[in-house]
Amino acid sequence: MNPEPRITRRQFLKKSKKLLLGAAVILATGSYSTLIEPFWIEIKKVHIKINNLPPAFDGFKIIHFSDIHLGFHFQPGHLPKIVNMIHRLEPDLICFTGDLLDTIHSLDALPNSISSLQHLNAPFGKLAVLGNHDYMAGVDRVSQGLRQSGFQLLINENTVVSKKGDLLFISGIDDSLFGYPSLEKATANVPDNACHILLSHEPDIAEISSRYRIDLQLSGHTHGGQVRLPFVGPILTPDLGKNYVSGLYRVKHSNLQVYTNRGIGTTHLPIRFLCRPEITLITLEKAKDRR
């Protein structure tokens, strides 16, 4: 048998450098995705054109945020930063699309979060719907906490925002995975010609809500995939969060637009990669007549 060829010192150093470089890249990526990106919140500014937007709401600013997942590597002490970021944007209305807590083990985080959320204010109020993790954590406690925080909680119902005599209707449905959602109840008594926004935690409900006279749906749930790879995109998306993962979409064969917020917190794994947490500032604009 021929003896194994001996590796030279030069070859050994070359291989060692590659191994060290690989280890350094893995370590840096792991540190970035656990210690930096999950807390590096992006303010995303989006202008959304709506055909039948009433004149008084042209330029109306809505803060849309979602999926805080308190108790899972995001604690009540992080909330004042969120509140300050939102206030600096001077929104007219604030909308939260669910998953305040992560699991039942997160309930201890709720009392200390209420005082921070109470400081959130906007001239036309603040609205919220429930998410699937809110049910996992304890829906009654979460609902009570949101209401104590000053949110109007929309569960298969709607409300009206009035400005200079013009009206904007906003509906909210119960969580589509663990709750009892009813678009029929949520949209009841909304006039056919009204400008109408829907709050729904899960974005893929748009396949159904597009059959109703709704102009814009605001959702969360997906975390944008939480980990996105170049040329691949999101590697994991949840049920009812596979078709509208992140950003603005128009549902095929309808006038419905869907905006999916990437959320603030994390779940399952405390990491984000190429998918920063997001607070969205939506400015509504009247679509120009093409005639």
Side-chain angles (χ1 to χ4, degrees), residues 43-250:
I43 301 293
K44 191 166 182 181
K45 298 181 180 180
V46 182
H47 292 253
I48 298 180
K49 298 181 184 297
I50 297 178
N51 290 327
N52 62 334
L53 186 73
F57 289 94
D58 194 7
F60 193 77
K61 296 190 296 183
I62 300 174
I63 281 290
H64 175 205
F65 72 118
S66 194
D67 296 88
I68 297 176
H69 287 267
L70 281 167
F72 186 78
H73 297 269
F74 196 93
Q75 304 302 328
H78 294 119
L79 284 176
K81 176 184 177 181
I82 304 298
V83 172
N84 289 335
M85 292 178 75
I86 290 174
H87 280 168
R88 285 198 295 269
L89 295 168
E90 300 181 337
D92 296 302
L93 177 70
I94 296 171
C95 293
F96 175 68
T97 49
D99 280 359
L100 176 62
L101 300 186
D102 190 62
T103 66
I104 194 169
H105 302 293
S106 309
L107 278 173
D108 289 343
L110 186 58
N112 291 331
S113 68
I114 291 174
S115 59
S116 292
L117 293 173
Q118 285 175 336
H119 285 93
L120 273 178
N121 288 300
F124 292 87
K126 50 189 186 183
L127 308 174
V129 291
L130 296 167
N132 57 311
H133 280 262
D134 294 324
Y135 272 86
M136 294 165 63
V139 66
D140 291 338
R141 291 278 301 277
V142 174
S143 299
Q144 181 183 29
L146 284 168
R147 292 186 174 111
Q148 287 178 341
S149 300
F151 284 91
Q152 181 180 355
L153 187 59
L154 299 176
I155 304 178
N156 300 328
E157 56 192 301
N158 60 73
T159 189
V160 183
V161 178
S162 177
K163 184 180 181 185
K164 297 180 180 179
D166 286 340
L167 302 179
L168 176 65
F169 287 79
I170 302 179
S171 298
I173 59 170
D174 200 359
D175 179 69
S176 296
L177 288 173
F178 294 137
Y180 299 91
S182 172
L183 279 162
E184 290 288 343
K185 292 180 179 178
T187 60
N189 303 318
V190 177
D192 288 344
N193 62 345
C195 186
H196 190 183
I197 295 175
L198 173 69
L199 306 184
S200 166
H201 181 65
E202 288 85 3
D204 288 0
I205 197 68
E207 305 300 330
I208 300 174
S209 60
S210 62
R211 303 170 194 168
Y212 294 75
R213 294 183 181 273
I214 298 170
D215 299 285
L216 174 64
Q217 175 181 307
L218 302 182
S219 297
H221 183 54
T222 67
H223 298 227
Q226 205 164 288
V227 174
R228 302 175 71 95
L229 299 180
F231 310 110
V232 176
I235 60 172
L236 289 174
T237 51
D239 290 341
L240 294 182
K242 300 183 182 299
N243 298 327
Y244 308 96
V245 179
S246 175
L248 184 63
Y249 303 83
R250 184 178 290 277

